[in-house]
Amino acid sequence: GENVEQHPSTLSVQEGDSAVIKCTYSDSASNYFPWYKQELGKGPQLIIDIRSNVGEKKDQRIAVTLNKTAKHFSLHITETQPEDSAVYFCAASRENNFNKFYFGSGTKLNVKP
Amino acid sequence: DTGVSQDPRHKITKRGQNVTFRCDPISEHNRLYWYRQTLGQGPEFLTYFQNEAQLEKSRLLSDRFSAERPKGSFSTLEIQRTEQGDSAMYLCASSQDRGGYTFGSGTRLTVV
């Protein structure tokens, strides 16, 4: 099965700085990579996703890059704000196989005001 | 639509008791998923429904676990003879065909 590894486990940045979270996956057939944000006491919320036919995708302050050859993908958050503080999870799936997600172990992001 | 609803939000039960959780997905979503999340870990897949059919079950779902989705609407997850190792957050999610899921807020189970 798929194995997703995520680094770092914790990340502390100053407000306004950028944050980068990295994930690797093992199954070369994985073709869909979502990122989720989880706040305390809540379920994960989809913030951005990317499919394997695209190398990069942006949505305002958030971007995701994908390197299929190296089997890694990254989340970039620019101009961080205190409300970005949360746990972020990456995931990988074969989208044509009912989308069973394999999640990384999470990154706790702390944005200091 | 108010998103994916889960009930109860918290459940404390004694070891050996049975518990049942309910999930109401987004109404137009035909796919429904259950995941389990333990502290400090990412969610782990438990089972998947397409409409009323349960099409995939994880090895994590022992014989003590059963899930149903009658009429392809809400779903229930039952755990029989609970054990302390069952303590976790149980997450339900739904989707319409491709793309990311919408998760509910989860049911936190504590087995004492």
Side-chain angles (χ1 to χ4, degrees), chain A residues 17-41:
Chain A
D17 287 349
S18 295
V20 180
I21 302 170
K22 298 183 179 181
C23 290
T24 60
Y25 62 98
S26 61
D27 184 359
S28 56
S30 290
N31 56 8
Y32 177 69
F33 307 91
W35 285 87
Y36 282 83
K37 175 184 181 183
Q38 188 172 28
E39 297 174 332
L40 202 60

Side-chain angles (χ1 to χ4, degrees), chain A:
Chain A
E2 173 70 279
N3 181 43
V4 177
E5 295 191 353
Q6 183 171 347
H7 301 280
S9 57
T10 58
L11 180 59
S12 190
V13 299
Q14 206 67 38
E15 182 177 359
D17 287 349
S18 295
V20 180
I21 302 170
K22 298 183 179 181
C23 290
T24 60
Y25 62 98
S26 61
D27 184 359
S28 56
S30 290
N31 56 8
Y32 177 69
F33 307 91
W35 285 87
Y36 282 83
K37 175 184 181 183
Q38 188 172 28
E39 297 174 332
L40 202 60
K42 297 184 179 180
Q45 177 187 11
L46 178 68
I47 56 172
I48 195 167
D49 57 11
I50 191 167
R51 292 183 169 86
S52 58
N53 59 345
V54 176
E56 184 176 0
K57 184 176 179 180
K58 287 183 180 180
D59 183 3
Q60 299 181 352
R61 297 186 297 109
I62 294 173
V64 58
T65 58
L66 171 65
N67 183 326
K68 285 190 296 183
T69 304
K71 296 206 212 60
H72 67 70
F73 56 115
S74 301
L75 178 72
H76 305 253
I77 306 174
T78 58
E79 300 171 21
T80 53
Q81 301 167 2
E83 50 265 39
D84 294 330
S85 296
V87 180
Y88 291 81
F89 292 97
C90 62
S93 77
R94 296 186 187 185
E95 196 166 31
N96 56 351
N97 184 25
F98 74 82
N99 256 11
K100 178 165 80 173
F101 287 176
Y102 296 87
F103 283 88
S105 54
T107 296
K108 184 173 183 180
L109 175 64
N110 179 34
V111 180
K112 295 177 287 187

